[in-house]
Amino acid sequence: MIKKSRRYRIRERGVAALEAAIILPVAVFMVFACVELYQYYRAAALLDRVAFTVANGVAMQRELFNQGKCDQSNDVCVYGQIAQDLFQPLDYGSNGSMVISAFAATEPDEKGSVSWKSQTEWRVFFKGTASAQPDPVSRLVDSSAFPQAKVGDTIIVAEGFYDYIPFAMSSTFWASLAGTSQIYSRFFFRPRFDDLRVLR
């Protein structure tokens, strides 16, 4: 009887060890996956906030200058200066960039329809000081995502880019799962006061 109970305990320990060997790696992977997804979606949400804040801030200006006076609130370069703070806690210096553009509507055609011009009225680029990446390229290749145009309409678009770097342990898996590591966000705002078609 004692021998049988001893053998039973040994078998039980073997089964428990086998279960742990199977379950433990899966549990560790799940923990890493949850943390990784949280980090990615937090970065995406922060980038949405950046694009919204910049587009809204530019659209509230009565006039906008491009004279390099970054201490003036109505100079467009101020948005490049405050980007470091807007991107926090993301690393804007190495991985972040922005594009701010202004688009205007066409005059009514013979049918009376109005659309957005394919060319921008103006466009500015900003990126982190430590970034080795080239200047960001706008993803606004057509106006299909724009709101409906009206006669005399203008629109400000802020695009945010962030090169997301996953944990080293899961980077290969993440690249095969997500396909890309650059997060992108954009927001559209109509100017509140002037049309802002010109950077003075």
Side-chain angles (χ1 to χ4, degrees), residues 40-91:
Y40 180 85
Y41 286 116
R42 181 187 73 150
L46 288 169
L47 195 63
D48 283 345
R49 183 191 70 187
V50 169
F52 174 87
T53 303
V54 170
N56 187 34
V58 172
M60 285 193 291
Q61 299 294 337
R62 291 184 181 277
E63 56 184 354
L64 203 57
F65 295 87
N66 189 19
Q67 298 175 353
K69 297 180 180 177
C70 300
D71 57 343
Q72 303 291 321
S73 64
N74 60 355
D75 197 299
V76 73
C77 79
V78 77
Y79 296 100
Q81 293 289 322
I82 65 172
Q84 183 76 36
D85 296 329
L86 292 176
F87 271 79
Q88 284 296 329
L90 301 178
D91 183 9

Side-chain angles (χ1 to χ4, degrees), residues 88-108:
Q88 284 296 329
L90 301 178
D91 183 9
Y92 171 74
S94 299
N95 301 322
S97 55
M98 291 189 307
V99 177
I100 307 171
S101 309
F103 288 86
T106 61
E107 294 301 316

